[in-house]
Amino acid sequence: MSGTLERPAELSRIAAALDASKEGEGKVLVIEGEAGIGKTRLVDEARAMAKERGFVRMQATGDELESAMAWGVVRQMVERSISRYSGATREAIIAGPTGRALEALDKATPDAGDAEVARTMHALWWVAVDLASPRPLLITVDDAQWSDLPSLRFLSYLSKRVADLPIALIVATRPPPDRLGPLAELTVSRHVERLLPRPLSRDGIAALTSDRVGGHGRSEHQEVVPAAPVVDAVLAASGGNPFLAESLLDELRALDRPVNDPATAAAVAGLGSSTVSRTMLGRLDPDALKLAGALAILGARADVWLAGSVARLPDSTLASAIDALVAANVVAANADQLSFVHPVIRESMRSTLGPLEKAALHARAAEVLFTDRAPADRIAAHLVNAPAGTLPNATEIFQAAATASLAAGDPQTAVGYLTRAFDADPANQGVRAQLGLTLLRAGDAAAAREHLRAAAAATGVRDRAALLGAAATATAAVDGPLAAVAELTSTLDGWPDGPERLTLEARLGIIRSFLPDERKKASEHLRRFADLPGDTPEERTLLALLAQCGRYEVSPSADVRRTAERALRQGALFTESVGQTDTLVGWLLAMMSLIAADGVEPARREIAGAQDWVRRNGSPIEFAMVANVADFLAWRCGDVPALEADADGVLAAMAPEELSPQVLALRATAVNFGAYAALEQGELAAAKALLADFDQQTADAPRVIPAMWLHEVRARIALEEDDPAAALEHAYRLRDEMAAAHLDPPAVPWRTPAAWALLRHGSEESVASARELAGDQLDLARRWGAASDVGAALRLTAKVDVGQGARRVTTLEDAVAVLEKSPARLELAKALVDLGEAYRVVGRRTDARETLARGGELATSCGSTAVRQRAAEALQALGDRPRALTSSGQDSLTASERRVAGLAVSGRTNRDIAHELFVSPKTVENHLGRIYVKLGITGRRELARALT
């Protein structure tokens, strides 16, 4: 009762959050305050309320010692859920979502990169989704300030994804010491509600004092009224902190000082809140004090027998020591575990231990845990605080613990372990190399470079080229990429041919290819590898970079296509890239080059394989990367529904993600394709809304290269709004930004909207400029050689050939003939409609009618309402009455809705669909609700019929 004094507002907000979560509107509460302010009691009250409301409950408590153990808090939640059961029930739970949570943690590989960690996060999120499926779920984490970093990242990840789920997440924490990291982000996030319990008032202290004395000095029904000076003294000494006030009152009771005696106030002032816990501990007998010291070292929750072994207490005295600690209200015993009743008491116990005593206890704990074959990270948490030489195999233990930390995405803790390992064995170059690589991942490039170079210089070191390549990456961070290029060039001078040389060549190619001023040198460098077969990862990386250079420099598209296919090697590049998001960029570059070179069929096979892998194993970011490649293919081929659906899918999957440069690039690409699809469907407002939303959400974010492509779609929007000046401005901005990056691929035709805008100006000079731009685009496309781009450029040339009816017809006939051989079906439809209109102008009405009809049909199959409407209007001008455009039945569904409906008809559950599209089941449920309304049906049973 005492812990909830004067907390009606907090309890009301917790109840409201639980009620909202129960209705499917997930809530996140952060209870923030100093030690002893009553956070734990509020967490307990939340759990009690949730139990009354039928919630599934998962809980964990952060621990200072366990903060170095990867996934400690997450494992604690899962293991507590399992520990309540046994036998068949326990086996069933392990086979379900809870067991899959532990499996997800154990699946992380030692060299896991950001993508692997993201996959683990996503798998854990699905565990929460599954647990919240039959009943609402409450997750509570107390003392979150001591949670391990991977668990904190998961809590932050989860907090952004519960809005449409029946999940309440309540996190109790002391104020973060700085405003950095996932805990700080969680406490200030816009979608998180903060509770800041205030100190008790004087009335609250008076009520606490009256309640806390219990039966002391009164009969069962007799009320003891505390003396006013005592209340004032307790308030002054505790500052209104409930735990400190309770501790003071407990001490007064132990001293037999009645609270209704005004003279007791002097005793309170003499005690002071800082001495209470030490006074309490000072009354313990030696065995109990030894056990308390061991518990303070072992952490918030310790196994009884482990604590006894560390304290060196025989079994005969262990039980009495536990009883003494429980009686003194120092620890609570739960099954085979002991825990301090409050972290403040544990901190007080730790403060009574001297440095040598702490080190000795940590050493003893490490020895006992090693004997018991505990996990390496648990042993290392003690070993790092123990004297050198505690265990003979300390180096191996530190290395194994570092590997576990890295696998969970915590390089800082891994650096700490490896530093201790290196200090203990400085001649071990394997440890030094591992430390250098880990420092690089942790962001300390200068220290990383020193260790990597030293390890590579040692005799007999394996993977010397890989270490020097990593050192060059560190140099790029410290001194800039040009310094890294010079370093790698010098290193390669005289290096013998072979696989190791290719490792360095690939690293040089990667660094150089992203430097505009080095692009020419990069291209010359990469051309030396044009004949590589693509048998190894290094060869495939070099070929992917070469394909990118060929695309940007407008090399013959046939050559670029062959290079890209060798780089991809029928899925090999994707398979070896999926662990690291950075290396997956190589696959993306090769795919973009392949698609731009009209390599549609091999691209479809690659995308199908990648999508299948992502559905089974991927993270949202990997899903978005593959979907954006699929979008590029849909754009190239003119498949507007697929274009819209993939763009919507990327934006939905990326919505909860932090705006990292990578996420920004993925979102910018999806917005570009989504806006393009909206324009093709005649939905100008939707295209503008996509861009406005992107601009608003990324206003303060750094610029990324894919954002420049948005200038083209902005120019197209301006043309639709009959604003040629704005269109020309956007087109020229794209031109200038591409020129600054030394880019001018024909697949990004800035000249097209610029030429259309110049035509709208109408002056003779503007028309001449438009023709010049069209001529340049045609020359560029012919140099590239892909039929899709040549046909589009011929169409543009005809468009600006004002007043030349016969010549325009001939040029458009050439455009159609070229596009017939290309995969660009929508571009062909546009060329057919243009040709039909040109035929009408020169009086070839029959040819016009046939050509317009075919163009309209092709536009319809591509999903372009705008082109279909143009064809219909042109046919009307010829006196025909084409079928009216309607939007009813399944035609009224958006592309995303059609995709969801198709998956539902195939027999997939809402969960299956959500898993495949990387959204929540609630999002799928909402899609299906809109689908049923549009189709005029009541549920899934009627869906198949309505779609046929």
Side-chain angles (χ1 to χ4, degrees):
M1 168 192 163
S2 59
T4 54
L5 280 171
E6 299 187 329
R7 300 288 185 254
E10 288 86 347
L11 293 173
S12 176
R13 289 164 72 182
I14 290 171
L18 291 173
D19 289 338
S21 300
K22 190 173 183 179
E23 295 302 316
E25 184 184 348
K27 294 292 181 182
V28 183
L29 299 183
V30 171
I31 306 171
E32 184 180 328
E34 63 181 356
I37 200 67
K39 303 184 296 295
T40 298
R41 181 54 63 91
L42 287 172
V43 169
D44 291 342
E45 291 282 4
R47 289 181 56 77
M49 290 186 216
K51 183 178 181 181
E52 292 174 357
R53 289 163 170 78
F55 276 66
V56 177
R57 299 176 308 287
M58 298 181 76
Q59 64 174 316
T61 302
D63 176 39
E64 190 174 7
L65 179 72
E66 293 181 1
S67 64
M69 300 180 193
W71 302 115
V73 162
V74 169
R75 286 185 186 276
Q76 193 185 137
M77 284 190 290
V78 175
E79 287 166 0
R80 278 185 170 178
S81 299
I82 295 174
S83 65
R84 305 186 201 130
Y85 305 95
S86 61
T89 303
R90 181 187 179 93
E91 291 176 7
I93 292 172
I94 291 175
T98 305
R100 287 198 294 275
L102 290 174
E103 184 182 354
L105 304 185
D106 294 332
K107 267 186 176 179
T109 56
D111 58 347
D114 293 339
E116 186 76 42
V117 175
R119 270 180 242 139
T120 302
M121 296 281 190
H122 192 63
L124 290 170
W125 177 74
W126 266 108
V127 170
V129 172
D130 287 345
L131 288 173
S133 178
R135 290 191 291 158
L137 171 65
L138 170 66
I139 299 174
T140 58
V141 179
D142 199 5
D143 285 327
Q145 73 277 0
W146 288 325
S147 296
D148 61 281
L149 183 61
S151 292
L152 282 176
R153 285 178 176 155
F154 172 66
L155 293 177
S156 179
Y157 185 94
L158 179 63
S159 72
K160 301 180 183 75
R161 292 164 172 79
V162 301
D164 61 353
L165 294 169
I167 296 177
L169 172 62
I170 298 181
V171 177
T173 179
R174 297 181 190 179
D178 54 41
R179 290 297 168 182
L180 299 172
L183 180 59
E185 292 169 5
L186 185 63
T187 61
V188 299
S189 177
R190 57 183 171 80
H191 52 266
V192 170
E193 184 178 358
R194 289 173 76 200
L195 304 185
L196 304 172
R198 299 176 60 82
L200 297 178
S201 68
R202 188 184 185 284
D203 289 343
I205 292 292
L208 177 62
T209 303
S210 178
D211 176 64
R212 194 68 177 178
V213 294
H216 178 63
R218 61 172 172 170
S219 65
E220 184 179 351
H221 302 291
Q222 180 184 3
E223 181 179 357
V224 174
V225 179
V230 175
V231 173
D232 292 337
V234 172
L235 178 60
S238 68
N241 183 291
F243 174 76
L244 296 179
E246 289 175 340
S247 299
L248 285 165
L249 293 169
D250 287 345
E251 189 63 19
L252 290 177
R253 184 173 184 178
L255 295 172
D256 200 25
R257 302 301 297 267
V259 295
N260 55 358
D261 181 357
T264 299
V268 174
L271 281 171
S273 60
S274 63
T275 64
V276 171
S277 295
R278 294 185 184 182
T279 304
M280 177 195 305
L281 295 168
R283 288 195 294 270
L284 297 173
D285 64 58
D287 287 343
L289 199 58
K290 283 182 182 178
L291 183 59
L295 290 171
I297 289 298
L298 287 171
R301 295 157 304 281
D303 175 81
V304 170
W305 309 110
L306 173 62
S309 296
V310 173
R312 298 185 186 275
L313 291 177
D315 294 350
S316 58
T317 60
L318 179 59
S320 60
I322 294 171
D323 290 341
L325 291 176
V326 172
N329 203 32
V330 172
V331 304
N334 180 17
D336 289 334
Q337 282 194 335
L338 299 174
S339 59
F340 284 92
V341 296
H342 198 279
V344 171
I345 299 177
R346 181 190 173 204
E347 291 166 23
S348 296
M349 184 65 239
R350 283 178 61 88
S351 70
T352 67
L353 302 172
L356 294 178
E357 193 174 1
K358 286 180 184 176
L361 285 169
H362 278 299
R364 177 66 180 154
E367 290 168 348
V368 173
L369 288 168
F370 177 70
T371 301
D372 290 346
R373 298 183 179 181
D377 56 350
R378 192 175 178 200
I379 302 170
H382 292 285
L383 196 57
V384 76
N385 295 300
T390 295
L391 290 175
N393 59 337
T395 297
E396 291 80 2
I397 291 172
F398 282 132
Q399 284 185 285
T403 296
S405 294
L406 275 177
D410 185 4
Q412 294 292 351
T413 297
V415 165
Y417 288 145
L418 290 169
T419 300
R420 276 296 303 270
F422 181 67
D423 290 344
D425 188 6
N428 190 325
Q429 297 305 319
V431 172
R432 184 163 205 165
Q434 188 180 359
L435 174 58
L437 293 169
T438 306
L439 281 164
L440 184 60
R441 188 165 162 190
D444 190 348
R449 180 171 63 180
E450 178 184 347
H451 285 290
L452 289 166
R453 285 176 174 174
T459 57
V461 173
R462 296 174 57 192
D463 301 324
R464 182 166 171 252
L467 295 176
L468 289 172
T473 299
T475 294
V478 175
D479 300 323
L482 284 174
V485 168
E487 181 177 317
L488 282 166
T489 303
S490 174
T491 301
L492 281 163
D493 187 22
W495 195 289
D497 290 337
E500 281 206 327
R501 183 181 180 92
L502 285 182
T503 297
L504 292 167
E505 298 278 16
R507 188 64 58 103
L508 175 59
I510 289 169
I511 295 174
R512 231 179 198 162
S513 65
F514 294 102
L515 294 171
D517 293 338
E518 288 280 308
R519 195 171 299 283
K520 186 175 180 181
K521 290 181 181 178
S523 178
E524 293 171 354
H525 167 237
L526 291 167
R527 283 197 192 103
R528 288 183 282 165
F529 309 107
D531 295 328
L532 289 175
D535 291 336
T536 67
E538 292 77 17
E539 289 183 357
R540 289 189 278 274
T541 297
L542 287 164
L543 290 169
L545 292 169
L546 180 60
Q548 178 201 32
C549 280
R551 176 188 169 207
Y552 284 165
E553 295 175 0
V554 199
S555 300
S557 62
D559 293 345
V560 170
R561 173 175 172 171
R562 285 191 291 269
T563 301
E565 288 189 79
R566 273 183 287 133
L568 293 163
R569 198 58 182 269
Q570 298 179 337
L573 182 58
F574 180 83
T575 300
E576 66 204 18
S577 299
V578 291
Q580 302 281 348
T581 312
D582 290 343
T583 56
L584 193 56
V585 172
W587 178 81
L588 187 148
L589 295 176
M591 286 296 294
M592 292 296 192
S593 301
L594 178 63
I595 294 167
D598 281 352
V600 167
E601 290 312 313
R604 285 193 201 284
R605 292 192 292 271
E606 279 281 338
I607 290 170
Q611 287 175 330
D612 181 63
W613 186 93
V614 167
R615 275 193 292 268
R616 291 181 285 108
N617 309 291
S619 68
I621 286 180
E622 289 166 317
F623 165 80
M625 292 182 78
V626 173
N628 270 345
V629 172
D631 239 354
F632 185 48
L633 179 62
W635 174 80
R636 190 72 171 171
C637 296
D639 187 346
V640 176
L643 190 65
E644 178 195 3
D646 282 325
D648 284 351
V650 170
L651 293 174
M654 291 296 96
E657 298 289 334
E658 293 294 329
L659 287 179
S660 67
Q662 185 181 55
V663 171
L664 277 169
L666 291 168
R667 289 180 66 172
T669 304
V671 167
N672 185 39
F673 288 135
Y676 182 90
L679 289 174
E680 289 297 334
Q681 293 168 330
E683 297 176 359
L684 178 62
K688 292 175 66 177
L690 275 172
L691 286 165
D693 185 59
F694 178 81
D695 291 342
Q696 180 183 7
Q697 293 186 30
T698 63
D700 299 323
R703 292 284 295 172
V704 291
I705 288 178
M708 77 168 66
W709 314 135
L710 294 175
H711 290 310
E712 184 195 1
V713 78
R714 293 183 199 275
R716 292 178 182 273
I717 289 172
L719 288 169
E720 289 294 325
E721 294 182 318
D722 199 22
D723 188 352
L728 196 59
E729 179 184 352
H730 285 302
Y732 283 165
R733 283 188 66 183
L734 176 57
R735 173 199 64 187
D736 294 343
E737 290 185 22
M738 288 172 61
H742 296 264
L743 305 175
D744 195 10
V748 185
W750 63 267
R751 295 175 183 83
T752 299
W756 290 345
L758 287 166
L759 277 180
R760 297 275 184 94
H761 279 291
S763 68
E764 186 175 330
E765 182 181 356
S766 295
V767 172
S769 296
R771 286 174 177 166
E772 183 178 353
L773 288 176
D776 291 345
Q777 183 67 26
L778 182 57
D779 290 343
L780 191 71
R782 282 174 169 158
R783 180 151 59 96
W784 173 241
S788 297
D789 297 305
V790 174
L794 284 167
R795 178 174 165 255
L796 176 63
T797 300
K799 185 84 172 178
V800 301
D801 208 359
V802 179
Q804 302 296 324
R807 190 167 66 192
R808 176 182 283 188
V809 166
T810 300
T811 304
L812 285 170
E813 287 175 337
D814 290 344
V816 168
V818 171
L819 289 169
E820 292 278 15
K821 303 171 186 176
S822 83
R825 298 293 87 190
L826 182 54
E827 194 63 37
L828 174 60
K830 292 176 180 180
L832 285 166
V833 173
D834 286 350
L835 179 58
E837 290 176 330
Y839 280 149
R840 181 178 61 82
V841 170
V842 298
R844 295 171 58 177
R845 297 176 65 85
T846 301
D847 291 337
R849 194 170 281 111
E850 292 176 356
T851 304
L852 287 169
R854 187 184 169 213
E857 290 170 0
L858 191 54
T860 301
S861 68
C862 290
S864 176
T865 305
V867 178
R868 179 183 176 191
Q869 184 66 43
R870 271 189 55 211
E873 290 171 356
L875 284 168
Q876 280 184 319
L878 288 168
D880 286 11
R881 292 185 178 179
R883 183 169 59 89
L885 294 174
T886 60
S887 183
S888 60
Q890 62 176 305
D891 290 336
S892 66
L893 302 181
T894 67
S896 294
E897 288 167 350
R898 282 195 292 274
R899 176 171 289 181
V900 169
L903 292 171
V905 167
S906 72
R908 289 175 172 85
T909 64
N910 286 9
R911 184 198 184 282
D912 295 336
I913 298 170
H915 195 276
E916 184 166 332
L917 300 180
F918 286 79
V919 294
S920 72
K922 184 70 173 179
T923 299
V924 175
E925 182 182 322
N926 291 338
H927 269 305
L928 287 171
R930 289 192 295 270
I931 290 166
Y932 299 154
V933 170
K934 288 182 178 182
L935 297 181
I937 60 177
T938 59
R940 275 182 181 248
R941 291 183 179 179
E942 304 170 71
L943 189 55
R945 175 183 54 78
L947 291 176
T948 56

